[in-house]
Amino acid sequence: MTTKGVAGDMDRKENEKPMLILKDIHKFYGSNEVLKGISLEVGRGELVTFVGPSGCGKTTLLRLIGGFTDISAGDIILDGQRINDLPPNLRDTRICFQNYALFPHMTVAENVGYGLKINKWPKDKTAERVRELLEMVELEAFKDRMIDKLSGGQQQRVAFARALSLEPKVLLLDEPLSNLDANLRLVMREEIRKLQEKLRITTVFVTHDQFEAMAISDRLVVMKDGLIEQVGTPIEIYERPANEFIAGFVGYVNFMEGRIASIDEKTRNTVIDTKYGKIEITLEQDNVRNGDEVLMVIRPESVNLSLNCGGESRNVLCGALKSYMYAGSIAKCTVTIGDRTMIIDQYNPRDAQRFKRADKVEVEIPRSIHLLKKK
Ligand SMILES: Nc1ncnc2c1ncn2[C@@H]1O[C@H](COP(=O)(O)OP(=O)(O)O)[C@@H](O)[C@H]1O
Ligand SMILES: [Mg+2]
């Protein structure tokens, strides 16, 4: 093996090591435990989002990583080094606060260059770096503007550039888009993601907005009451939620109760007995057994709605159409099946006129249903 080959292998091993490790982190405010044992590894260049309802501990966790709040128990390892006891300025992390915390009496360029000045960068190098950062966030033309003469989106970009100025190993973003209006949020989240991927900067993002979290992240960490409920890619979290809370948190869900009547071990064809009839699915998970009481996780867009009712087809339940709200690209429907109400989203609705007048409808449950074991 050549020397080059060995070095290459070592580089690869280095690259595989997580950039950030959180080990069993606890945080008490007085007797109130707001973080109850958070453990996670964040890979190099990864964008991981902590998402959860307000008050679940997201900001506290981010402040702990950044060094703005002290930790009650556990360890924070950044690039192999334990950083629990380092002050914020000696950590290779930078935080973008929710309110941006820009300096109102300074210009855009002064804000972006602030960290460099504090770190005693020479003037010419600072100017060059600030120019580069402003170019990156497309604000070169605004360099001499005062902060209060900028729009919300522009302020967001300044905060982002300032956080990146010293090339931190980990960027921490606390609800960075929450002060922007809905349209701008969409634009800025794309911009942040593009820049993050271009710079390959390891990023911990925090938001209470589950859709923003799904759109922007490599992985989501769903939190509730100071604990991690599930970690996974957006698709894993949406399609295979670990429990009812998560299933409902990342989108609307119809739950239907049933009991597993049979599982064919070879084909994974699985029959579920429900109050409304038998449902057959292809089982894609291995945590349920024959005889288990389960909750079927049925997403509104996964169900097929059709007119008429009466034919005996598989996975088709008869229902009464309670409401049909046509909105162009989508129709939102409410269907009652026996004693239950199901919400169904019909995309690209074709027969809207006929559905509007319909009473009886057929609801087809897909074969790719995720099951939660009933406790
Ligand atoms: N400085 C503090 N002193 C006491 N309690 C706090 C402090 N900061 C946050 N908390 C409490 O910790 C919990 C988590 O807060 P926070 O991390 O801000 O949640 P999130 O960012 O998820 O909305 C909340 O119950 C909050 O009231
Ligand atoms: Mg918060």
Side-chain angles (χ1 to χ4, degrees):
M1 196 185 280
T2 64
T3 326
K4 204 168 163 224
V6 173
D9 285 351
M10 277 173 59
D11 281 354
R12 201 166 59 237
K13 290 230 173 67
E14 253 334 280
N15 285 335
E16 281 163 7
K17 275 197 212 146
M19 178 59 96
L20 178 69
I21 305 176
L22 307 177
K23 275 192 190 161
D24 199 20
I25 290 178
H26 293 256
K27 175 65 186 176
F28 285 88
Y29 283 115
S31 61
N32 185 17
E33 189 177 21
V34 300
L35 295 175
K36 302 172 181 169
I38 300 289
S39 297
L40 186 78
E41 294 191 353
V42 183
R44 281 159 204 275
E46 193 180 20
L47 193 160
V48 167
T49 299
F50 282 87
V51 60
S54 182
C56 71
K58 305 180 298 291
T59 295
T60 303
L61 184 64
L62 218 58
R63 292 178 60 88
L64 285 177
I65 300 171
F68 296 92
T69 303
D70 41 300
I71 192 168
S72 304
D75 282 318
I76 307 170
I77 316 286
L78 178 66
D79 203 8
Q81 188 199 359
R82 182 176 175 278
I83 58 165
N84 288 34
D85 309 316
L86 290 181
N89 59 320
L90 296 184
R91 297 184 182 200
D92 246 341
T93 59
R94 276 297 166 269
I95 192 165
C96 247
F97 292 103
Q98 194 165 353
N99 58 4
Y100 313 145
L102 296 169
F103 306 115
H105 56 284
M106 291 185 195
T107 65
V108 167
E110 285 164 350
N111 264 279
V112 172
Y114 182 77
L116 307 174
K117 193 172 161 196
I118 293 294
N119 275 270
K120 304 208 163 44
W121 275 41
K123 270 210 170 112
D124 52 339
K125 254 184 86 187
T126 300
E128 172 56 24
R129 177 73 179 142
V130 168
R131 200 193 51 73
E132 186 184 299
L133 288 159
L134 288 179
E135 190 184 302
M136 191 178 74
V137 296
E138 293 174 20
L139 282 181
E140 305 105 299
F142 296 83
K143 68 178 172 38
D144 297 322
R145 270 255 178 123
M146 299 306 282
I147 294 300
D148 61 355
K149 299 282 185 304
L150 296 178
S151 71
Q154 290 165 338
Q155 291 187 18
Q156 169 60 57
R157 287 195 198 126
V158 175
F160 197 68
R162 187 178 66 177
L164 289 171
S165 64
L166 287 162
E167 298 189 330
K169 286 181 175 164
V170 174
L171 182 63
L172 307 169
L173 302 173
D174 190 3
E175 309 249 7
L177 308 176
S178 62
N179 294 333
L180 307 176
D181 66 46
N183 287 336
L184 194 53
R185 281 182 84 117
L186 296 182
V187 175
M188 288 303 295
R189 87 180 177 203
E190 260 191 70
E191 279 189 19
I192 288 185
R193 178 55 162 170
K194 261 199 222 144
L195 271 176
Q196 185 272 334
E197 284 183 325
K198 188 169 144 211
L199 301 170
R200 290 193 46 76
I201 183 162
T202 311
T203 303
V204 181
F205 193 99
V206 156
T207 179
H208 67 276
D209 181 332
Q210 56 277 45
F211 304 108
E212 182 173 291
M214 289 211 279
I216 206 172
S217 319
D218 292 311
R219 279 192 301 157
L220 304 188
V221 182
V222 184
M223 280 180 77
K224 187 183 164 202
D225 298 334
L227 280 169
I228 292 179
E229 293 272 321
Q230 189 174 3
V231 181
T233 65
I235 295 173
E236 282 165 359
I237 301 276
Y238 189 74
E239 293 186 353
R240 299 192 286 284
N243 55 43
E244 283 176 71
F245 165 74
I246 295 167
F249 184 68
V250 292
Y252 190 85
V253 62
N254 300 290
F255 290 115
M256 193 181 278
E257 291 167 7
R259 204 183 120 269
I260 299 187
S262 71
I263 302 175
D264 183 320
E265 289 304 337
K266 240 197 197 141
T267 62
R268 304 297 283 164
N269 190 61
T270 298
V271 179
I272 303 165
D273 280 336
T274 76
K275 261 204 309 213
Y276 320 98
K278 283 188 195 312
I279 300 291
E280 283 194 30
I281 66 165
T282 306
L283 196 62
E284 284 164 13
Q285 58 199 99
D286 51 17
N287 62 338
V288 289
R289 302 276 166 271
N290 217 343
D292 278 355
E293 301 287 337
V294 292
L295 274 183
M296 300 163 64
V297 175
I298 306 172
R299 295 288 181 194
E301 72 281 7
S302 72
V303 176
N304 195 22
L305 192 67
S306 55
L307 291 159
N308 308 322
C309 202
E312 290 268 305
S313 349
R314 273 216 182 123
N315 279 16
V316 170
L317 309 175
C318 249
L321 191 61
K322 289 287 276 187
S323 69
Y324 188 88
M325 284 173 58
Y326 176 77
S329 62
I330 185 175
K332 290 234 164 234
C333 322
T334 318
V335 175
T336 44
I337 299 168
D339 57 355
R340 94 172 21 251
T341 303
M342 269 183 103
I343 305 287
I344 297 170
D345 290 346
Q346 210 183 21
Y347 281 91
N348 195 11
R350 295 202 175 266
D351 279 331
Q353 276 308 336
R354 292 176 62 207
F355 273 103
K356 268 178 176 286
R357 289 191 300 267
D359 177 24
K360 297 226 172 311
V361 286
E362 285 185 343
V363 171
E364 187 186 350
I365 310 293
R367 288 191 60 97
S368 55
I369 288 283
H370 183 70
L371 304 178
L372 298 176
K373 222 164 144 160
K374 267 190 88 175
K375 298 219 176 80

